[in-house]
Amino acid sequence: MEKIQFFDTTLRDGEQTPGVSFSTKEKIAIALQLEKWGVDVIEAGFPASSNESFKAVQEIARVATKLSVTGLARLVKGDIDKAYEALKDAIHPQIHVFIATSPVHMEYKLKMTPDEVLASISEHISYAREKFEVVQFSPEDATRSEKGFLLQAVQAAVDAGASIINVPDTVGYSNPEEYGALFKYLINHVKSDREIIYSSHCHDDLGMATANALAAIKNGSRRVEGTINGLGERAGNTALEEVAVALKIRQDYYQLSSNITLEETKNTSDLISRFAGVAVPKNKAVVGGNAFAHESGIHQDGFLKNPNTYEIITPEMVGVSHSTLPLGKLSGRHAFNEKLKSLGFELEENDLKEAFIRFKALADKKNDISDTDIRALIAGQTSEQSDDYVFKSLDLTYHSNNQQTATIYLDGVAGNEITQSAKGRGSVEAIFSAIGQVFKQAVILKSYEIAAITSGIDSQAEVRVSVEDSETGEIVNAVGIDYDILKASALAYMNANAVIQKVRERQTNQ
Ligand code: KIV
Ligand code: ZN
């Protein structure tokens, strides 16, 4: 059976979600998880956009053992050179170059004539081919481009050496019939004596990103681009987990397969949701909390008689399990590590040591530790350590006169010990005020949400905050996970502030 290549752009287009900023450590953990999930290509970033992005692409290129790593570049020699530098250690490097081809983009954004755009395609793709065996070209805003001109642009790219043509529905404007027909048109009209792979890249502005990607596949596309949980600009991108499961469940219709290990889907979605600070909606297809819940009496009755009546995807297929960890506070490190491995985590010695300490601390408080708890424990650990600040402890004094005091103890960027106290009308306000005084930067708390990770009174808490940098208007999401809600709140707010500080430093250095 022919295969569809999965191209994940969670770290590039997904990071363009408002408020999302992954640290390098988080990016590496995501890349390794995506490798385990089975994606063929990962777009690790846009190397010319910042030093941070360059370094992340470089590090991912060095650690990926199976997948191809690519980086985005404009049709500009400097961008292509940066991508080459960042990707030169990858086992299978690729470059992804783009230029807009729609009238509105060419006239107002690029201020280039169509002929100048065609010349740039020929010149820069030939240049990119001198450095990369595999060049992917995207005519940005393809679906609002004039069809004849789009064909000319794609032909110029193929003639200059591109072997993958990605057709972006940049503003989520297309629909399945139109988008599928566009693939058919390009595949039938572009001339080449080499094999050209056509790829889809859809945005979800009209809620059709997954449907459009599947229509492209039905019409000859053999690479699908998207993100996990549909992260991305505005309404987001095609949710790759939806495409992967659709291809499996409707193999009778698509007659195609992929390298995706579906059982790793839930792990992948959970990890990315936590690092992004973006919760997965309960009713989200495939990975939402209600995806396998049956509420109405008629549905429950049918399901109990035969699950097939109302369930086309089994929870096990995508790695959702409700099994509890058969470990307690007396369990040893070996058993704990085996459990981690079965959940897909391979930790280095030091990280394992720390995870075990955290597990023991949790087992002291909580009797029934589920796989979900363990995933949260590991995600919390990785994200806490990803920032330059390390949370040490928190003291709170509660007064019934509504004047609470919080004292926070952190290790700072240079490993220096930081202690800061503050008062507030409530405990959270006191904690946030103390953290605010550590960072000394003007920020506005836009949202604060608490969720229980599992059911039951002894559940761990997951706190998500969204914080706006008053200077730049930049929004940062962050998550804190702990058995205690107040500590989880402190972690989330500290992480958000640390990211804002980093973004500001990056902007001043550029
Ligand atoms: O949506 C888009 O057009 C893109 C391109 C850079 C591929 O993300
Ligand atoms: Zn995009």
Side-chain angles (χ1 to χ4, degrees), residues 44 123 172 218 399 423 489:
E123 179 189 349
K218 196 64 188 161
H399 306 278
K423 284 192 188 308
S489 303

Side-chain angles (χ1 to χ4, degrees), residues 33-276:
Q33 180 58 35
L34 287 169
E35 187 161 65
K36 197 173 287 170
W37 191 53
V39 307
D40 302 278
V41 187
I42 181 174
E43 187 161 61
F46 186 168
S49 67
S50 69
N51 290 342
E52 190 100 358
S53 181
F54 178 90
K55 272 200 213 109
V57 175
Q58 191 173 48
E59 290 200 31
I60 291 168
R62 288 174 180 162
V63 296
T65 54
K66 282 189 287 214
L67 48 71
S68 290
V69 183
T70 190
L72 187 67
R74 290 167 298 180
L75 284 184
V76 169
K77 285 191 177 151
D79 277 26
I80 296 168
D81 292 343
K82 276 267 180 209
Y84 173 72
E85 278 306 310
L87 289 160
K88 66 181 181 205
D89 295 333
I91 300 181
H92 309 290
Q94 304 191 2
I95 188 168
H96 178 191
V97 291
F98 75 102
I99 193 165
T101 50
S102 65
V104 65
H105 276 246
M106 289 190 291
E107 184 178 347
Y108 293 99
K109 186 182 80 175
L110 298 177
K111 299 193 191 325
M112 285 168 82
T113 63
D115 281 346
E116 285 168 340
V117 167
L118 290 179
S120 177
I121 293 173
S122 304
E123 179 189 349
H124 293 102
I125 291 186
S126 304
Y127 184 72
R129 273 292 283 117
E130 287 169 19
K131 294 171 185 276
F132 290 89
E133 192 66 35
V134 181
V135 175
Q136 166 170 313
F137 170 64
S138 284
E140 190 190 9
D141 206 15
T143 51
R144 292 193 302 163
S145 301
E146 195 271 311
K147 223 162 117 184
F149 181 67
L150 179 67
L151 178 59
Q152 275 183 287
V154 169
Q155 189 65 62
V158 168
D159 291 345
S163 54
I164 300 159
I165 298 298
N166 183 46
V167 184
D169 185 23
T170 303
V171 290
Y173 175 77
S174 203
N175 61 51
E177 286 78 13
E178 250 178 42
Y179 196 58
L182 189 57
F183 277 78
K184 204 162 237 169
Y185 171 75
L186 291 173
I187 292 169
N188 286 341
H189 289 85
V190 172
K191 295 184 181 60
S192 171
D193 45 17
R194 288 168 293 119
E195 192 204 350
I196 304 297
I197 295 174
Y198 289 84
S199 163
S200 69
H201 177 110
C202 303
H203 282 266
D204 207 30
D205 299 67
L206 295 174
M208 290 188 273
T210 298
N212 285 345
L214 288 165
I217 288 172
K218 196 64 188 161
N219 284 280
S221 156
R222 288 297 172 261
R223 174 179 275 196
V224 57
E225 284 194 19
T227 59
I228 298 297
N229 301 336
L231 287 177
E233 283 274 358
R234 304 180 311 279
N237 290 57
T238 299
L240 285 183
E241 69 278 9
E242 293 175 7
V243 177
V245 172
L247 290 177
K248 171 77 183 170
I249 298 291
R250 295 306 312 273
Q251 208 168 57
D252 61 318
Y253 181 73
Y254 294 104
Q255 298 286 322
L256 292 161
S257 67
S258 75
N259 289 326
I260 298 297
T261 304
L262 288 179
E263 294 75 20
E264 282 295 326
T265 303
K266 181 68 177 156
N267 275 343
T268 313
S269 162
D270 276 0
L271 185 83
I272 290 171
S273 162
R274 295 235 159 78
F275 287 166

